[in-house]
Amino acid sequence: MRFARRLDLVPPYLFAELERKIEEKRRAGVDVISLGIGDPDLPTPEPVIRALQAAAADATTHQYPTNRGLESFRDAVAAFYSERFGVGIDPATEVVPVLGGKEGVAHIAFACLDPGDVALAPEPGYPPYTSGPLFAGAEVHYLPLRAENAFMPELEGVPSDVAGRANLLFLNYPNNPTGAVVAPGFFERAVEFARATDLIVVHDNAYSEVAFEGYEPPSLLATEGAKDVGVEIFSLSKGWNMTGWRVGWVAGNAEVVEQFRRLKTNLDSGMFEAVQLAGVAALTEARSFPAEMSAIYRRRRDLMIEALAGIGLPAEPPQATPYIWARVPDGHTSETFTELVLEEAGVVVSPGPSFGPSGEGYVRVSLTVADERLEEAASRIATSLRVGARA
Ligand SMILES: Cc1ncc(COP(=O)(O)O)c(C=O)c1O
């Protein structure tokens, strides 16, 4: 059999490889603690589950949904954006449901990019910022995120010939994997850049509801002029422990929303209406749930930061996201450190370069496991470092 060459354009999906390694270790009897994947360990809030149960029992939800989404879903999104971000969204034209943020990221590239076009993508970054554009036949120009720039990309540094061909700019704050939050004035600069360069900005806002110590991550759409140049992708996955449910939306510029929806009418038949109604419950009855989860992640963050510092791995406590972006010890690369903790401690962390070359020297530690397991992981890493030092 012969398969499409586009499948070879991207390396194996990062977490597919991690999952394979975890499975291998588990089969060998190792009690693996995975801090590799950002998949919340705690259940979806009760009101959301109850809403799904009730809606699934109602036969009116059983037929094909529309790609437009239920009016009640779009209204709930608009009300949430208004209350949470101070952003007005027209539910009729400025929002469309997506089957998780990942689908939104990948498919928006298909709606915005032709072969020969360029997508500007942060690096290290979420892998679909690469696979979406490449599958669409476009090129990716990476924007390195470095500690010395507070993990903000240098938009001014994009070469003019690249900027001339660029039609899409991906941004993501709070950021995966670095945990960085947007610097004051950066969204304004991004909107200005998009205007000057005549491109579409897509802000991936997957993590705004996981934030600590009173910090409230903003929406790109709250920036003046943002809706003229772009959209935001939002997901219920992280804030509401709903990764398995596949609920998100694209909101913002009506033309982008319309073209994206046009693409999607050819690719899928929308989101199960019972799931949309569960999404409404998340945004209304379970509106305060992300704050409760953030309190849990904050406790875990502090616990892990302290444990890492204790073993000579100082890391900045992030203001948002369930991730710690930690430097590896001297004498290690991201890969040797990841191998060491997997082999000697049975702990999985994500090597920084799996998110892009600028991730070298870092690993990402996910806080999506119970406190006891985090403590156990930290103590096993400490032991493995002592073993590693003796070896
Ligand atoms: C930066 C970023 N964007 C989007 C997503 C997608 O989440 P989902 O498809 O579950 O909405 C993730 C998930 O890890 C992510 O890290």
Side-chain angles (χ1 to χ4, degrees):
M1 280 179 258
R2 188 178 66 76
F3 293 96
R5 279 189 289 271
R6 71 172 63 84
L7 289 176
D8 298 325
L9 293 175
V10 293
Y13 193 68
L14 160 71
F15 299 122
E17 185 54 20
L18 269 178
E19 273 162 17
R20 194 190 59 74
K21 279 191 179 163
I22 298 170
E23 205 31 58
E24 203 176 277
K25 284 275 156 201
R26 287 199 172 129
R27 267 204 306 274
V30 177
D31 169 28
V32 175
I33 304 177
S34 178
L35 311 180
I37 300 175
D39 193 354
D41 54 310
L42 293 168
T44 303
E46 274 295 324
V48 179
I49 297 169
R50 279 199 304 272
L52 177 76
Q53 286 168 333
D58 174 357
T60 62
T61 66
H62 295 178
Q63 290 176 293
Y64 284 123
T66 65
N67 283 93
R68 193 166 285 282
L70 285 171
E71 198 175 320
S72 58
F73 180 85
R74 287 178 282 117
D75 284 348
V77 170
F80 171 71
Y81 257 60
S82 164
E83 173 259 317
R84 167 68 179 85
F85 298 118
V87 169
I89 296 284
D90 177 356
T93 58
E94 294 182 336
V95 59
V96 56
V98 291
L99 308 174
K102 186 178 194 177
E103 187 251 314
V105 168
H107 281 151
I108 205 135
F110 280 75
C112 300
L113 296 169
D114 278 322
D117 284 344
V118 171
L120 304 175
E123 172 285 299
Y126 184 51
Y129 306 148
T130 296
S131 47
L134 291 183
F135 287 163
E139 295 162 36
V140 180
H141 177 86
Y142 291 112
L143 306 173
L145 305 184
R146 301 200 175 96
E148 60 266 30
N149 294 328
F151 301 109
M152 299 297 119
E154 280 184 70
L155 299 174
E156 307 71 23
V158 177
S160 56
D161 58 317
V162 173
R165 290 194 294 131
N167 201 41
L168 189 58
L169 165 65
F170 283 118
L171 296 173
N172 166 225
Y173 294 101
N175 183 258
N176 174 21
T178 67
V181 300
V182 71
F186 179 75
F187 280 157
E188 285 76 3
R189 290 210 299 285
V191 169
E192 191 46 48
F193 176 79
R195 254 197 243 287
T197 316
D198 193 19
L199 55 66
I200 297 164
V201 184
V202 173
H203 179 237
D204 178 4
N205 192 11
Y207 291 98
S208 64
E209 303 315 294
V210 179
F212 317 122
E213 292 146 336
Y215 176 66
E216 291 185 355
S219 162
L220 167 79
L221 301 179
T223 307
E224 203 180 322
K227 242 202 252 174
D228 298 334
V229 295
V231 291
E232 183 157 274
I233 300 177
F234 193 96
S235 167
L236 297 184
S237 282
K238 310 291 168 149
W240 284 263
N241 297 346
M242 288 176 69
T243 47
W245 297 60
R246 319 308 305 135
V247 191
W249 57 81
V250 169
N253 183 278
E255 206 180 337
V256 179
V257 166
E258 181 52 32
Q259 294 300 333
F260 177 71
R261 180 168 41 223
R262 191 170 138 211
L263 174 86
K264 269 173 70 70
T265 54
N266 293 285
L267 294 174
D268 63 61
S269 297
M271 185 188 295
F272 181 24
E273 289 186 351
V275 171
Q276 293 185 55
L277 292 167
V280 172
L283 294 173
T284 54
E285 291 169 71
R287 173 65 189 86
S288 57
F289 185 79
E292 294 165 33
M293 278 312 300
S294 294
I296 293 172
Y297 288 129
R298 190 203 152 170
R299 193 178 66 228
R300 293 177 180 175
R301 177 200 75 170
D302 292 347
L303 182 161
M304 197 63 193
I305 291 278
E306 199 183 313
L308 290 173
I311 55 179
L313 297 178
E316 280 291 314
Q319 276 182 282
T321 79
Y323 305 122
I324 293 174
W325 188 235
R327 277 191 193 278
V328 299
D330 284 346
H332 273 284
T333 63
S334 300
E335 195 185 341
T336 63
F337 183 69
T338 305
E339 282 295 321
L340 176 77
V341 297
L342 179 61
E343 291 307 322
E344 301 296 332
V347 174
V348 179
V349 294
S350 305
S354 7
F355 299 95
S358 303
E360 182 50 55
Y362 291 91
V363 289
R364 192 193 72 177
V365 177
S366 172
L367 302 171
T368 51
V369 299
D371 297 22
E372 321 75 84
R373 296 291 276 170
L374 269 187
E375 277 165 3
E376 162 85 15
S379 110
R380 287 201 218 160
I381 293 173
T383 312
S384 72
L385 283 176
R386 282 196 293 275
V387 171
R390 276 202 300 275

